[in-house]
Amino acid sequence: MSSETLPAFIESSNVERKQSLSEEQEKSQKPRVGEGFEAMSKRQMKKLIKQKQWEEQRELRKQKRKEKRKRKQLERQCQLESNSDGNDRKRIRRDVVHSTLRLIIDCSFDSLMVLKDIKKLHKQIQRCYAENRRALHPVQFYLTSHGGQLKKNMDENDKGWINWKDIHIKPEHFSEFIKKEDLIYLTSDSPNVLKELDESKAYVIGGLVDHNHQKGLTYKQASDHGIDHAQLPLGNFVKMNSRKVLAVNHVFEIILEYLETRDWQEAFFTILPQRKGAVPTDKACESSSHDKKSASVEGGLDNESSDEEDSRNELDSQHEEEKQDKENSNESAVNSTPH
């Protein structure tokens, strides 16, 4: 090969080498048969079904909240008009009918919680106190077994609690000063479903924030003390994405709402946070039957996944509406000065 043709030969060889390399890269980047086109997993399918249910009920939840706000606004307006004495600056409190129902938060689980959970319980108690103070039918509010970490945290961060009104804060256990036959422990583990509220009774809410670490503890507490127990009729009216265990303040507020409306479904949908993905049981059944037909084409549903997994897989799209709930609840922050 002559020296004149050598550079041209080298150049063409380099071009061919680059072309072969680019072809190999393209081949390696192309998905093989079956790669990248895997069928949707059961978990993904379940999330899509939940998202669909949650989206379908968005307007219903908004409407419920809107109706409640309008109703309370109308009540305040009527109260002002009927009691107005010409002084617009004077704030007239609406008529309040105190309920004889006793509602107890049992704080005897103090040693089972870390400080972070104690602080959460403190905030939930604050919310209960604020809601009871503004309720149309406030209950006889008791805070029992008050001491330990909870009392220390309240002393340090909310010194005004000693001036709280319309609340009985006691260091003793509730069983020491309330008759056993008057007590009903509210626990989601109870096989008994509550149908009506007996205002002559004392209902106990377990003051426990444990993120599902201590299962069945409130039910055991009721059994150990030999007192009656029951769960709220949540399953009769509502289907949720997560477990039926509710925060202390949610149970408290649902009872206050029920005393006002005498309607369990309205109470649940007014109070339950949107992250729970609550839908009416009748509509949930219709949606479930429709979704099962669709899911059977894609490989079916994973009916055996745990409730804890459901809780971890809550939808990110619910956060925006949850922020709105938090903004609406800011007014419930408890004042450290006496009311």
Side-chain angles (χ1 to χ4, degrees):
M1 184 180 295
S2 65
S3 59
E4 295 178 356
T5 59
L6 185 60
F9 174 75
I10 295 173
E11 185 177 352
S12 63
S13 298
N14 289 337
V15 170
E16 290 175 358
R17 189 180 296 110
K18 288 179 181 178
Q19 288 177 346
S20 62
L21 285 173
S22 63
E23 288 175 359
E24 289 177 1
Q25 288 175 353
E26 287 178 3
K27 288 180 181 178
S28 63
Q29 290 174 358
K30 287 182 180 179
R32 296 178 184 177
V33 178
E35 288 184 0
F37 298 99
E38 294 180 358
M40 186 178 293
S41 68
K42 293 180 181 179
R43 182 178 295 179
Q44 289 172 326
M45 178 60 65
K46 212 173 178 190
K47 285 180 70 175
L48 284 176
I49 291 170
K50 289 177 184 176
Q51 183 177 16
K52 182 181 177 183
Q53 290 177 345
W54 186 81
E55 291 290 343
E56 286 175 351
Q57 298 302 320
R58 183 193 297 270
E59 292 303 320
L60 175 63
R61 294 191 296 270
K62 285 183 180 179
Q63 187 64 27
K64 287 284 184 184
R65 291 196 299 270
K66 191 180 294 183
E67 287 174 0
K68 183 185 178 184
R69 287 194 297 268
K70 285 183 178 179
R71 185 176 66 250
K72 292 194 173 182
Q73 185 178 1
L74 184 60
E75 288 171 357
R76 287 193 293 268
Q77 185 178 348
C78 292
Q79 187 70 24
L80 287 171
E81 289 175 356
S82 61
N83 296 285
S84 178
D85 58 355
N87 185 2
D88 295 335
R89 291 175 299 174
K90 184 178 179 180
R91 182 181 175 184
I92 301 171
R93 193 180 179 189
R94 42 188 188 166
D95 291 333
V96 172
V97 179
H98 289 268
S99 171
T100 56
L101 183 146
R102 289 161 288 177
L103 202 49
I104 303 165
I105 296 181
D106 173 19
C107 303
S108 62
F109 306 99
D110 188 272
S111 61
L112 300 176
M113 292 183 283
V114 296
L115 182 58
K116 181 176 72 172
D117 293 335
I118 289 289
K119 290 181 177 180
K120 288 182 180 179
L121 177 61
H122 176 202
K123 289 182 179 180
Q124 291 175 6
I125 292 170
Q126 286 179 319
R127 177 67 179 264
C128 294
Y129 173 72
E131 291 298 325
N132 196 50
R133 290 279 290 165
R134 66 163 58 93
L136 280 176
H137 302 290
V139 297
Q140 310 301 309
F141 187 11
Y142 287 81
L143 202 63
T144 64
S145 299
H146 183 252
Q149 298 180 88
L150 178 62
K151 184 178 182 300
K152 182 180 178 183
N153 185 72
M154 292 174 71
D155 287 336
E156 293 175 354
N157 302 301
D158 185 20
K159 295 179 181 179
W161 73 266
I162 59 174
N163 298 314
W164 284 2
K165 297 180 179 180
D166 302 322
I167 184 173
H168 308 279
I169 301 179
K170 297 180 175 291
E172 300 89 5
H173 192 268
F174 58 84
S175 61
E176 295 182 27
F177 56 88
I178 296 181
K179 296 178 182 179
K180 185 182 292 187
E181 56 267 24
D182 288 347
L183 290 164
I184 298 177
Y185 213 114
L186 297 175
T187 169
S188 61
D189 296 307
S190 173
N192 307 320
V193 179
L194 199 65
K195 294 181 179 179
E196 296 287 340
L197 288 176
D198 184 347
E199 296 194 44
S200 67
K201 297 291 187 180
Y203 293 89
V204 185
I205 303 172
L208 179 64
V209 178
D210 69 338
H211 305 286
N212 204 28
H213 297 311
Q214 303 283 349
K215 290 184 178 180
L217 203 59
T218 53
Y219 180 68
K220 184 177 184 299
Q221 174 85 316
S223 300
D224 289 347
H225 286 87
I227 63 177
D228 291 336
H229 46 78
Q231 61 170 290
L232 295 178
L234 194 62
N236 295 344
F237 300 94
V238 177
K239 181 175 176 60
M240 298 193 305
N241 289 339
S242 57
R243 296 179 69 232
K244 293 190 293 183
V245 178
L246 303 178
V248 170
N249 61 295
H250 292 152
V251 178
F252 196 101
E253 291 173 56
I254 285 169
I255 290 176
L256 288 179
E257 187 69 21
Y258 177 78
L259 289 173
E260 182 177 338
T261 63
R262 296 293 170 176
D263 185 327
W264 280 119
Q265 188 168 35
E266 183 171 350
F268 290 136
F269 276 92
T270 301
I271 302 303
L272 287 176
Q274 302 312 307
R275 65 178 180 274
K276 292 286 185 180
V279 295
T281 51
D282 53 350
K283 295 191 177 181
C285 291
E286 293 174 7
S287 178
S288 176
S289 62
H290 177 269
D291 291 330
K292 282 182 179 179
K293 290 179 182 178
S294 302
S296 62
V297 179
E298 301 292 338
L301 298 174
D302 183 8
N303 292 323
E304 298 179 357
S305 60
S306 68
D307 288 323
E308 294 178 8
E309 182 177 330
D310 289 344
S311 179
R312 292 195 297 270
N313 291 331
E314 288 175 348
L315 306 172
D316 294 335
S317 61
Q318 297 173 7
H319 292 328
E320 294 182 6
E321 201 163 341
E322 184 181 354
K323 288 180 182 177
Q324 180 183 352
D325 289 339
K326 288 182 180 178
E327 291 173 2
N328 292 337
S329 66
N330 282 340
E331 62 178 4
S332 67
V334 177
N335 226 323
S336 60
T337 57
H339 290 271

